[in-house]
Each structure stands twice: as C-alpha cells, then as structure tokens.
Amino acid sequence: MKRALVTLTPTESKRLIAKAIVALEEVQHALENGFVYIATGTTAAYVAEEILGEKIEKEKWTVGVISKGRTCVTAKKTWPKHLVLYKGKPYEGEPLEALKEMGPDDVFIKGANAIDQNWNVAVFAAAPDGGTIGKTFGWTITKGVITITPISLEKFTPTPVEVSAKLTGIHSFDWGTGLYAALVPIPHAIPVTEVEAYDILANVDAIPIASGGAGGAEGSVTLVLEGDDENMERAKEITKAIKGEPPLEPYTEDCSICPFAKICGIGTGVF
C-alpha cells in the first residue's frame, strides 16, 4: 500500500473533478446515445471544456457567482446559454426544450455551492423564478434524469443543507455583503468531489485531512491518497497533469447597472 499527501487549489480540484465526470460510464453512454445537459457555472465550465476539447472563458460561463468577497452576478451582457449535447453534438433547439425529451439514460450536470456531511448538495438561486435549478429540476426529477453535481470539498458545510436552506431567501435578509439568495437543495444529485474523482480516475482512496491556505492556496483541499503501486502511480500522473491550473479571474457586474440591485446589500446601500 502506497500513500501520498496532495494539496489541490480550487481550480486544480475543478479540473480533476471535470476529468472524472467525463470518464463516468453514464456520461460516456449519454454522449454516445442521448443527451448531456450542462448547466452554466464555473465548475461545470471545466466539464464543458473536457467534453468539447476547447477553451471557455470559465469565469464568464455563469450568472450567479461568489467573487470579490461577495455573492454577486456576472455581467448580463455575457450571460451564457446552457450547453446541451445530443449524441455528442450541439443540440439545435433551446436548452430547456431538451429537458422535455430527456429520460433516465440522459445526464444533467449542475454545479453547487454547498455539500454537507451527508453528501447532500445545494445551490444558490437569486432569480424570483428559481433560476436554473427552479426551471430544470421538475423535469429532471419526474423523468429520472441522472443528475451529477461537480463540487469541490472547499464547499463543505457542517450544517445539513436542508437546515441551511430554511434560513435563506431573496427577501429573508435585513442586510448583507452582497446579493441575497436562497440556498436550494438539488434533489437526487450524485455529487462528484475530489474523493470520487480519484476513485473514478485512479481507483485510489482520497481522505480529506485539511482545508484552506494562503498565497494563492486559499480554498485549497489537502488529501491523503492511498492505493496499490500501479493505481498510485496513475494517481501521481493525474495529479501532475492538473497541478498549475491557473486561477479564475474575478468577474462581476457593474453595481450601477446590476438588474439584481434591489435584492443586494450593496445595491440597496444598507451595507
């Protein structure tokens, strides 16, 4: 049995997790035979890059974002469309129309903002209609679509998300340091963290032992990897390949023209 100590920055974790998701049998089957729906988000952008084989402006491939020390949104002029693939090629219709055709052999990929001790996940929603999750999870739940959530352990929360969710809402706060939002649990989601990623890609155990850092390592996750000689050598090569993944650039809307100013502590001037 071999053992290694590995620290991954947030973007290194995102790249690792994306590679693992693309390697999943369910995803490969859906890419060949059906639908893969990738909802926008910075982590999901890494999945899109791995599938498409081309670079994406990942910091802009989202609407809601936690950046510059606050909950916020990206510039409206760059809000992207969700990526939907049918048999590996771009779907010609509107993304939400694809949900009407999807079923239990298809895959829906959506990032999140929290993962708790029970491996339940939740995502922020600030739009009154529930945003992406509000518009999609009715379809994915009732039709049994496979929902996969790429999420780093930097987003671990000790409070169960079903408890946290009851404390939130766009009209629930008297003041705050950014955009007000509801935390919405993602039903039936299959989370893929660094733990699952190393298992999928190298068949080694990954045990989280520390979090955080400084000097560019803020938000990092430190893990102990364990496995036999061959699998640990594979894990080493995978780790080498993702080390040095550049950080994402801060990117948010101009507060003076933000469409969400009325549900924001900064936009309303209460903070």
Side-chain angles (χ1 to χ4, degrees):
M1 179 74 70
K2 296 289 187 179
R3 185 177 292 160
L5 181 67
V6 173
T7 296
L8 301 177
T9 67
T11 50
E12 290 167 352
S13 286
K14 290 173 189 288
R15 182 64 69 189
L16 174 76
I17 290 166
K19 288 181 178 294
I21 286 175
V22 175
L24 284 170
E25 182 179 339
E26 296 90 338
V27 174
Q28 287 297 313
H29 182 271
L31 282 171
E32 185 174 345
N33 300 287
F35 286 96
V36 173
Y37 187 122
I38 306 175
T40 54
T42 56
T43 306
Y46 285 80
V47 180
E49 278 192 343
E50 291 291 328
I51 291 175
L52 295 173
E54 61 185 52
K55 290 294 184 181
I56 292 173
E57 288 187 285
K58 293 177 286 295
E59 64 275 7
K60 298 181 181 180
W61 211 69
T62 186
V63 176
V65 66
I66 299 176
S67 184
K68 301 179 183 177
R70 62 181 186 261
T71 49
C72 198
V73 294
T74 56
K76 189 173 183 179
K77 63 183 179 182
T78 63
W79 286 356
K81 290 178 66 173
H82 299 172
L83 174 64
V84 182
L85 302 173
Y86 180 65
K87 294 186 177 181
K89 297 181 179 180
Y91 177 66
E92 294 182 358
E94 287 298 312
L96 292 179
E97 288 298 310
L99 290 169
K100 299 177 183 179
E101 302 182 44
M102 292 172 67
D105 291 327
D106 299 310
V107 171
F108 178 77
I109 297 170
K110 176 74 180 82
N113 296 99
I115 180 168
D116 68 17
Q117 58 191 333
N118 300 313
W119 248 229
N120 294 316
V121 296
V123 63
F124 275 135
D129 61 2
T132 295
I133 197 64
K135 295 174 182 176
T136 59
F137 76 72
W139 292 99
T140 58
I141 292 171
T142 56
K143 302 182 78 176
V145 175
I146 300 167
T147 298
I148 298 174
T149 300
I151 184 167
S152 169
L153 290 172
E154 69 159 322
K155 297 180 179 180
F156 175 77
T157 60
T159 305
V161 296
E162 65 266 23
V163 175
S164 304
K166 296 175 183 177
L167 306 174
T168 67
I170 60 175
H171 300 301
S172 296
F173 306 105
D174 298 304
W175 60 273
T177 62
L179 181 68
Y180 304 148
L183 188 69
V184 183
I186 304 177
H188 306 296
I190 301 169
V192 177
T193 72
E194 294 87 345
V195 173
E196 288 77 22
Y198 271 113
D199 181 37
I200 293 164
L201 294 171
N203 194 29
V204 299
D205 293 328
I207 301 94
I209 64 166
S211 298
E218 295 86 351
S220 294
V221 175
T222 299
L223 312 129
V224 170
L225 306 184
E226 289 187 330
D228 63 28
D229 289 7
E230 183 179 347
N231 290 337
M232 284 293 285
E233 190 61 31
R234 186 179 301 115
K236 181 193 290 185
E237 293 307 311
I238 291 166
T239 304
K240 284 182 178 180
I242 62 173
K243 290 301 290 181
E245 181 74 31
L248 296 179
E249 295 295 327
Y251 184 73
T252 59
E253 180 61 280
D254 178 346
C255 290
S256 67
I257 60 172
C258 180
F260 292 95
K262 292 182 179 179
I263 53 168
C264 175
I266 297 172
T268 55
V270 300
F271 187 82

